[in-house]
Amino acid sequence: MSGILRLAASSRSVLLKPSTLVRSAGIHRHAIQVKSAPKIVTPFSGQTKKASLAMPAIKMMQQRAYHDDGAYGYRVPKVYSMPDYTPEELANRVENANLLRLVIGYRTHGHRKADLDPLGIVKGETIPALSAERYALKDPSQVYNLNGILHVNQSKGSQEAKDEATLETIVNHLEKSYCGKIAYEFTHIPNASERRWFAHEVESYQKAPITPDDKQRIFELLTKSEVFDHFMGKKFAQVKRYGLEGAESMMVALDALFQTASKAGVTEAVLGMPHRGRLNLLTDLMQYNPTALFSKVKGNPEFPADLPATGDVLSHIANSPKLDYGEAEPLHVSMLHNPSHLEAVNPVAMGKARAKQMDLIANSSPDCQLGDKVMCVQLHGDAAFTGQGVVMESLGLSNLPHFSSGGSIHIVVNNQIGYTTPAQNARSSVYSSDIGKMINAPVIHVNGDHPEEVVHAMRLAFEYRNKFRKDVILDLIAYRRWGHNELDEPAFTQPLMYNNIRARKSVPKLYEEKLLAENVLSKAAIDELRQDYFEKLEDDFSEIDSFKPEADHLQGKWKDMILPTETVSKIETGIDKEQMKQIGQASVATPGDFEIHPRLEKFHVKSRLNKLKDGQNIDWATAEAIAFGSLLTEGYDVRICGQDVGRGTFSQRHAMLVDQKTERVHVPLNALTESQGHLEVANSSLSELAVLAFETGMSYETPKMLNIWEAQFGDFFNSAQVTIDTYVSSAETKWLRQSGLVMLLPHGYDGAGPEHSTCRMERWLQMTSDSFDVKDPNVKVNTNMHIVNPTTPAQYFHLLRRQMKRNFRKPLIVIGPKTLLRLPTAISTLEDMAPGTSFEPVLGDDSTEKDPSAVEKVLFVSGKLYYDLVKERQTKGADEKVAIVRIEELSPFPKEGIQKQIETYSGAKDFTWIQEEPQNGGAYAFMEPRIRQLLPEDKSLNYIGREPSAAPATGIAVVHRKESADILAKAFRV
C-alpha cells in the first residue's frame, strides 16, 4: 500500500495519492509512516482517543454518549477522519508560525473581502487579518516552506503540491482561493477532519472543468427561465408569479446538484422550496406541463373535476419527475407541496427523506448507509431563513440519530431583501446563513451573477454532504428584479437598490455575452434558442381549452389505497386472545443479562404479566403494547415519536428499557418474530413544530407504517399549529395527499392549571370538515380527520389497529388519557379486544339500558369526566334515573350511535351535554347544534360545565375543586 493513503469515508474507502494531499489540511505525504499514538480515555465520554505525538492531549468536553445505539432506527453516518500532522509538519508550523497565522486569517476572514454581491452595494471590507505585514511578513520574494501549512499547486495544469513558494505566490494563491466570486466559512466547524478536508478542496482547486457542453446547458437553463418570466409577464400581466428574474442561477445550482448527486449514486431527492422561482423550476427542470400551469393561471383546477379537492394557489403546485442524467438509474425528485408559511415545508421534506432512506436501508445491502441513495434539498429565502423559528428547530434535528437522513443541502436564494425589509432590519447576524452555524454547518457563499462559479460551489457543497453526511449551506447571493411580486413597486422603500437593478443587464444576458466572447455559442444559436422556447410556450398556451388535468395521487407505495368518499368508523379489529397474551408477555421480556430497574420489574413487568394471566384489568399501556405488537406481527412498522415517548410523560409506556449497569437500550417488541415489522422509538428534541412536521413528512411516504406523535401535554400541540393548519388538517383536501399520522394529546382537568389541562379539542373540532346538517340522508360524511376521546384501553387498542386496517389513511387525533392511565376503573379485558370486537363511536350506559323508561335525564359526556359521573351517581343513588352516554368519537359526528341513544331514552325529560371544559372550549359548541337536530322538537340540549373563560383552566387548587364539585352537583339535579 506504499504510495497510497487510504482514508475511511462515510460509506466507502477513498484513495488519495500522497502527492496530491494538502499539507494545510493536515494530510501529509508520509502519513503511512506515522506511529501509533498512546491511548487515553477522556473522563467525560469514556471513549478511547489518540493523543497527539507532539504535545500532551488536551481534554475537551464531549457530548454524553447516546445510549440507544442498539435500538432500531438509531442511524448515524460513518465517520470520515483524516490523519493528524506529522512531527515534521508540526515543526514547520512552529517555525513559520507567522505564515500559518496569515493562512488561518484567509480561511477565517477571506469571505469578508470576497466579491459576492452582484449589485455591488455590499463592498468587500479591508480586513487587517489578511495583511501579510500584520504578521511581519514583508518581503514578497521571501521563500517559505509550505509543509503542513498550505497547498499551492505546482502549475495550472497540475495539482501536485509545491514544497515551497514565495510570499507573493502565497498571497496571490490565498486571494484567489478565498476572496473571489466564491467564499467559504468552515473554520467554525469543531471537527478537525472536516476543516482540513474543506481547506484541501478550496486550496488545491480540485474542480471538475466546465466543458462547452456544460456551458451550453447553463445558458439553456438561464435563458429558458428568463423567457418563461417574459412570457408570463406578457400573457398574465396581472398575475403574481413570484418569478426568478435576478436569481436565475438557482436553476443552474439545482441542475448541477441533481447531476452531481445522480453520478454519485443518489436515486431519490426530496425537494422543499418556497414560492420564489417555483414556476420557473416546475416548467423546466421539474418537467411540469406548461399547459397545465397556464390552465391553472386561467382559473381552472389542477385535478380532474370528479375528484373532491379544493386545489391550491399557483405557487404551491408540485411535481415529482424522474430526471435522466445518463446514469444507470434516473434521479426521482419528489417536490413537495408548500404552504404560504415560509420554511414550514423544511421539516416535512426531512421526514419524507428519512422515510425513503429507512425503506431503502431495510431493502438494500447491509452496507447501505444514510444518504447513499436519498438526499434532502431545502431552498430558502434569505429573510425567512433567518427569521422563521422552524428553521432553528429543523436544523436541530439534522444530526439526531432518529431524524437524520444523511445531511440536507440548503440553498439560500438570497435576494438581499425580505419583502421590503433590508438586512439590517431583518437579522442580527452578518449573513442570513449564520443560523446554520448552530449545527456547525459549513457555508459556501457565491455571487449569483457568475453561474459557472455557482456550479463549482454547488458541486463542492454536495461533495461535503456526501463525504460527511451532514448539512451544508449554499448562500446564492442574487437580487429580485421586481418587488415581492410583479405587481409590487419596490422603489417605494428601496429606490437606490432598484435604480441599480433596473440599470443592470440580466444574468442570462451577461452569461450570453461571456459565451459569445468565448465562441462557445453564436448569436444565431442564442436567438434561435430564445425564439424556439417562446414558440413552444405559445403552443402550450394554445392548448389550454383542450387540456384535461390528470390525477397524480395514490401512486407507488400508495397504489393499494383508495380515496374515500365516505367515513368508515367501525371495522373489526379484534385479535386472538392467546396472541394478545403472547405479545403482552413479549412486551416486557428482556435478555438474560439485562438488568432492569427494580421498580419497573415490580410495577411494570410483573404487574403486566399478572394482568395477562386472567385477561382482566388491562391498562392503557398494555393495550397499546398489544396493538403495536399485533401490527408488527402483521408486517406493519410502527414509529412513535415525541419528547420522552420511550418511557412516556407519565412513566406509563416503557416501550424501551434501559439496562441499569450499561445503559444499553432494549425494545422488547422488536423481538417478536423473524418476519415482523419494526418499532422505532424516537425520543425527540424539545420541539413541537419541526418534530410534528417531520412525522407528517414520514407519514406521506409510509402508508404501511403507524406514525405516532405524542405531545408531552395536550396543549403543546399549539406550538406546531402551522403544520396542523397547512398539512395535517388540509393536505388531502388541497393536494389529495393522505396521511395516517396519529397525534396523542394528553388531556383532562385534574388541577394542573391553564397549560396542562386541555388539548383544546374545540380547535380540532373547528378544523374538521364535518357536516353541520346531520339529518339529510343524502349528505355523505367524509371528514378530513378523526377526533376521538376514548375512555377505555380497549377503545384505544381498536383505534390504533383501525388506523392501519382501513384501505385509506386519515389523521387520527386522540384526546389522550392522563389520570386514566392508572385509574383502577378505566380498564378493559382481553375479551374486549377479541375477534368480533371493534371501536365503538358511542358507548351506551349498561346500568340504565335494562329499564330505559325510568331514565329522566341523559348526560352526553366525552372523556374522563365519565368516571367521576359514575362515582357521583352511585353516591347520589341515581343509577336508574340518570343515563350517562359516552361520545368516544367526536368527529366524524357519530349520528347513528347518538340517535340510537336518544331513541332508547325517548321518555327522558332532560338531555344535557356535560363537560369539564369551559363553555367556550371542549366539544360543546361542536356537538350542540348537531345533537339538537336529532332531539325531539320539544326537547333542547342543556349545558353543564365551566363558565366561558379566556384561560382554559384555573391555577388555583381551591377554585378548581369547587368548579369540579359544582359540575357533579348539577349533573344529578333531576
Side-chain angles (χ1 to χ4, degrees):
M1 191 172 165
S2 60
I4 295 291
L5 176 65
R6 185 180 297 272
L7 299 174
S10 54
S11 60
R12 58 189 64 84
S13 294
V14 177
L15 297 176
L16 295 175
K17 292 182 179 180
S19 58
T20 67
L21 300 180
V22 58
R23 300 181 178 88
S24 60
I27 310 176
H28 42 80
R29 290 178 294 175
H30 308 292
I32 294 293
Q33 301 172 14
V34 176
K35 298 178 181 179
S36 297
K39 293 183 178 180
I40 62 170
V41 178
T42 70
F44 299 103
S45 65
Q47 300 294 314
T48 300
K49 296 185 174 291
K50 286 191 175 182
S52 166
L53 290 171
M55 58 180 58
I58 300 175
K59 297 178 181 179
M60 300 181 67
M61 181 66 73
Q62 304 290 321
Q63 281 186 317
R64 184 174 179 274
Y66 206 78
H67 58 233
D68 66 342
D69 56 354
Y72 176 77
Y74 182 101
R75 305 290 302 191
V76 292
K78 285 186 176 179
V79 176
Y80 176 97
S81 59
M82 302 176 100
D84 201 357
Y85 300 102
T86 64
E88 293 80 9
E89 289 171 333
L90 288 171
N92 188 52
R93 287 165 68 90
V94 171
E95 182 178 346
N96 289 297
N98 283 351
L99 177 64
L100 176 62
R101 291 169 65 199
L102 176 65
V103 171
I104 292 173
Y106 270 94
R107 291 174 186 164
T108 305
H109 301 291
H111 60 91
R112 296 167 61 188
K113 187 181 177 184
D115 181 13
L116 299 176
D117 180 12
L119 300 179
I121 295 173
V122 179
K123 303 294 184 181
E125 301 177 59
T126 300
I127 311 298
L130 306 186
S131 170
E133 291 186 358
R134 186 179 184 86
Y135 309 105
L137 305 172
K138 299 179 180 180
D139 183 359
S141 61
Q142 177 70 43
V143 175
Y144 292 91
N145 186 338
L146 302 177
N147 197 19
I149 296 176
L150 180 68
H151 181 113
V152 178
N153 291 342
Q154 288 187 0
S155 65
K156 285 186 177 180
S158 171
Q159 292 176 352
E160 294 291 321
K162 287 186 176 182
D163 292 322
E164 52 188 26
T166 65
L167 178 61
E168 181 179 21
T169 299
I170 291 169
V171 170
N172 289 340
H173 180 68
L174 290 171
E175 286 281 329
K176 185 177 180 182
S177 297
Y178 291 105
C179 302
K181 307 297 183 185
I182 308 177
Y184 313 90
E185 292 185 87
F186 61 87
T187 57
H188 60 277
I189 300 175
N191 185 287
S193 289
E194 293 178 41
R195 294 196 305 272
R196 293 170 192 162
W197 179 89
F198 229 106
H200 169 63
E201 293 297 310
V202 173
E203 293 163 12
S204 63
Y205 290 117
Q206 291 189 353
K207 301 176 182 177
I210 306 293
T211 66
D213 287 344
D214 292 335
K215 294 181 179 185
Q216 290 189 44
R217 172 65 173 167
I218 291 170
F219 178 70
E220 180 182 329
L221 289 164
L222 295 172
T223 302
K224 283 185 175 181
S225 180
E226 185 174 57
V227 170
F228 174 81
D229 276 324
H230 290 173
F231 183 88
M232 290 290 288
K234 177 182 177 182
K235 296 293 186 181
F236 307 104
Q238 297 304 308
V239 171
K240 300 174 182 178
R241 65 181 184 274
Y242 305 104
L244 197 55
E245 291 172 275
E248 289 94 343
S249 288
M250 181 194 86
M251 301 287 291
V252 176
L254 283 170
D255 186 58
L257 173 61
F258 292 153
Q259 182 183 53
T260 307
S262 182
K263 288 183 177 180
V266 175
T267 57
E268 293 277 352
V270 179
L271 173 63
M273 70 173 294
H275 52 285
R276 180 74 56 201
R278 192 179 186 94
L279 305 187
N280 307 65
L281 182 63
L282 272 167
T283 52
D284 191 357
L285 266 182
M286 300 303 292
Q287 301 176 2
Y288 190 75
N289 185 349
T291 304
L293 183 72
F294 299 149
S295 176
K296 175 66 176 175
V297 179
K298 284 280 192 177
N300 299 314
E302 61 267 41
F303 301 112
D306 60 336
L307 291 178
T310 63
D312 204 347
V313 298
L314 192 64
S315 54
H316 298 172
I317 292 173
N319 199 37
S320 298
K322 290 187 176 180
L323 306 183
D324 186 359
Y325 286 100
E327 302 304 316
E329 193 172 344
L331 177 68
H332 178 229
V333 181
S334 297
M335 185 186 201
L336 299 186
H337 295 278
N338 63 301
S340 293
H341 295 70
L342 296 171
E343 309 294 334
V345 71
N346 302 351
V348 180
M350 293 168 65
K352 188 174 176 71
R354 166 79 180 198
K356 282 180 176 289
Q357 186 66 73
M358 292 300 290
D359 184 64
L360 284 171
I361 287 174
N363 296 286
S364 301
S365 61
D367 62 347
C368 182
Q369 298 294 320
L370 283 176
D372 278 1
K373 297 293 184 180
V374 181
M375 173 178 66
C376 182
V377 183
Q378 301 174 41
L379 269 65
H380 316 274
D382 51 313
F385 194 53
T386 193
Q388 293 294 322
V390 67
V391 174
M392 183 279 291
E393 291 191 33
S394 302
L395 290 171
L397 301 179
S398 60
N399 296 322
L400 300 184
H402 291 278
F403 295 87
S404 173
S405 60
S408 291
I409 301 281
H410 300 269
I411 302 175
V412 179
V413 181
N414 191 338
N415 296 314
Q416 307 188 65
I417 192 170
Y419 208 129
T420 67
T421 305
Q424 66 264 30
N425 293 335
R427 61 178 183 265
S428 297
S429 58
V430 176
Y431 298 110
S432 60
S433 55
D434 284 345
I435 184 69
K437 292 177 182 176
M438 67 168 276
I439 58 166
N440 306 308
V443 181
I444 305 172
H445 306 279
V446 62
N447 188 321
D449 259 9
H450 299 268
E452 291 182 14
E453 298 299 317
V454 171
V455 172
H456 287 309
M458 192 76 263
R459 287 172 176 172
L460 178 60
F462 176 78
E463 288 301 327
Y464 172 85
R465 178 264 178 197
N466 210 38
K467 187 77 65 179
F468 297 100
R469 304 298 162 95
K470 294 181 180 180
D471 289 31
V472 60
I473 300 170
L474 179 78
D475 182 18
L476 176 62
I477 302 174
Y479 59 90
R480 194 181 64 196
R481 181 159 291 275
W482 307 105
H484 177 67
N485 59 68
E486 289 71 22
L487 309 184
D488 187 38
E489 176 49 74
F492 288 158
T493 51
Q494 274 79 36
L496 297 182
M497 181 183 209
Y498 274 86
N499 286 342
N500 183 320
I501 290 172
R502 285 163 180 163
R504 293 182 59 76
K505 294 179 180 179
S506 70
V507 178
K509 282 290 185 183
L510 290 173
Y511 195 62
E512 173 185 313
E513 292 176 356
K514 181 178 186 296
L515 296 191
L516 285 171
E518 294 176 356
N519 293 319
V520 174
L521 287 176
S522 67
K523 187 68 168 66
I526 289 170
D527 293 342
E528 182 181 6
L529 172 64
R530 289 182 178 275
Q531 186 63 30
D532 286 352
Y533 192 58
F534 196 91
E535 290 175 358
K536 177 190 178 302
L537 293 176
E538 283 281 11
D539 292 341
D540 293 328
F541 184 84
S542 69
E543 297 174 2
I544 293 175
D545 292 339
S546 61
F547 175 74
K548 301 294 182 186
E550 297 179 358
D552 66 347
H553 65 300
L554 303 181
Q555 299 175 359
K557 296 174 183 176
W558 291 85
K559 66 181 185 303
D560 296 330
M561 298 286 131
I562 67 165
L563 186 67
T565 58
E566 193 166 6
T567 291
V568 178
S569 285
K570 289 188 66 172
I571 62 170
E572 186 177 327
T573 46
I575 63 173
D576 180 72
K577 285 196 285 186
E578 281 305 312
Q579 183 188 11
M580 282 190 263
K581 288 184 177 182
Q582 292 170 6
I583 293 171
Q585 291 164 0
S587 71
V588 290
T590 55
D593 61 343
F594 194 93
E595 185 172 320
I596 194 171
H597 193 285
R599 285 171 59 188
L600 288 183
E601 178 69 30
K602 180 179 179 181
F603 296 110
H604 180 69
V605 176
K606 290 182 178 178
S607 174
R608 178 170 295 182
L609 294 176
N610 289 334
K611 292 171 184 177
L612 291 167
K613 283 180 182 178
D614 57 10
Q616 303 296 314
N617 302 319
I618 302 300
D619 57 54
W620 292 79
T622 301
E624 179 186 75
I626 295 172
F628 287 176
S630 66
L631 291 171
L632 293 172
T633 59
E634 294 170 24
Y636 297 100
D637 292 320
V638 178
R639 175 178 160 106
I640 183 166
C641 171
Q643 297 152 21
D644 314 295
V645 293
R647 191 202 76 161
T649 296
F650 308 100
S651 195
Q652 85 283 6
R653 180 173 290 119
H654 299 289
M656 51 172 273
L657 300 171
V658 180
D659 189 298
Q660 296 302 294
K661 287 186 175 179
T662 65
E663 284 199 345
R664 67 182 167 123
V665 164
H666 176 61
V667 180
L669 285 176
N670 279 331
L672 296 174
T673 68
E674 290 287 335
S675 58
Q676 69 170 84
H678 294 100
L679 168 61
E680 182 172 8
V681 180
N683 291 309
S684 77
S685 65
L686 201 65
S687 157
E688 284 83 33
L689 176 52
V691 173
L692 177 64
F694 187 99
E695 297 306 308
T696 301
M698 290 200 78
S699 72
Y700 291 148
E701 182 66 23
T702 54
K704 297 298 180 68
M705 175 187 283
L706 180 64
N707 270 103
I708 301 173
W709 178 78
E710 182 176 60
Q712 202 171 60
F713 286 91
D715 54 346
F716 288 179
F717 80 86
N718 55 23
S719 294
Q721 194 66 54
V722 170
T723 296
I724 293 162
D725 289 345
T726 59
Y727 285 100
V728 176
S729 67
S730 59
E732 183 180 10
T733 303
K734 293 186 294 188
W735 311 316
L736 297 177
R737 293 299 183 264
Q738 294 185 27
S739 165
L741 179 70
V742 178
M743 293 179 63
L744 303 181
L745 307 177
H747 172 96
Y749 280 62
D750 49 20
E755 272 73 63
H756 283 9
S757 296
T758 174
C759 74
R760 303 276 190 170
M761 71 176 79
E762 65 277 3
R763 296 184 182 175
W764 289 100
L765 293 168
Q766 186 185 42
M767 285 187 284
T768 69
S769 58
D770 224 333
S771 174
F772 276 88
D773 186 352
V774 301
K775 295 191 75 172
D776 187 347
N778 296 317
V779 175
K780 287 187 175 181
V781 178
N782 181 27
T783 56
N784 54 327
M785 52 188 176
H786 288 251
I787 317 295
V788 298
N789 194 0
T791 56
T792 72
Q795 288 279 78
Y796 178 47
F797 164 89
H798 289 300
L799 284 167
L800 293 176
R801 285 188 51 76
R802 184 186 75 174
Q803 194 69 354
M804 302 308 293
K805 302 305 289 184
R806 296 184 296 194
N807 59 352
F808 62 88
R809 296 289 178 259
K810 296 275 187 183
L812 174 65
I813 314 304
V814 180
I815 301 165
K818 293 193 303 179
T819 58
L820 294 191
L821 291 169
R822 291 182 176 84
L823 189 68
T825 52
I827 54 174
S828 297
T829 67
L830 293 183
E831 190 63 39
D832 296 330
M833 300 179 282
T837 59
S838 64
F839 172 74
E840 297 292 338
V842 177
L843 292 177
D845 192 336
D846 293 339
S847 67
T848 57
E849 286 181 351
K850 295 175 183 178
D851 185 12
S853 62
V855 171
E856 300 178 18
K857 187 173 187 176
V858 177
L859 297 175
F860 291 106
V861 66
S862 187
K864 84 171 185 67
L865 180 58
Y866 164 77
Y867 292 98
D868 297 327
L869 291 171
V870 170
K871 184 178 179 181
E872 185 70 11
R873 183 174 63 177
Q874 292 172 345
T875 302
K876 299 285 188 181
D879 288 352
E880 297 179 356
K881 293 183 179 181
V882 180
I884 306 172
V885 177
R886 283 174 278 177
I887 312 301
E888 301 279 291
E889 185 164 54
L890 298 166
S891 181
F893 179 74
K895 171 186 171 182
E896 291 77 12
I898 292 177
Q899 198 159 31
K900 179 182 176 182
Q901 294 298 317
I902 292 173
E903 292 170 355
T904 298
Y905 302 110
S906 58
K909 301 174 183 177
D910 184 343
F911 291 88
T912 295
W913 179 266
I914 186 168
Q915 64 181 35
E916 298 180 293
E917 299 82 9
Q919 192 170 5
N920 60 325
Y924 173 69
F926 178 86
M927 300 300 291
E928 191 279 332
R930 292 171 172 82
I931 293 178
R932 180 169 18 97
Q933 295 176 54
L934 304 180
L935 291 172
E937 291 185 1
D938 62 337
K939 297 288 194 306
S940 61
L941 186 68
N942 299 313
Y943 169 78
I944 296 176
R946 285 175 166 83
E947 294 297 317
S949 174
T954 179
I956 304 169
V958 173
V959 175
H960 167 75
R961 289 193 291 269
K962 184 180 183 303
E963 290 175 342
S964 299
D966 288 347
I967 290 172
L968 294 177
K970 292 176 183 177
F972 297 101
R973 290 175 189 164
V974 180

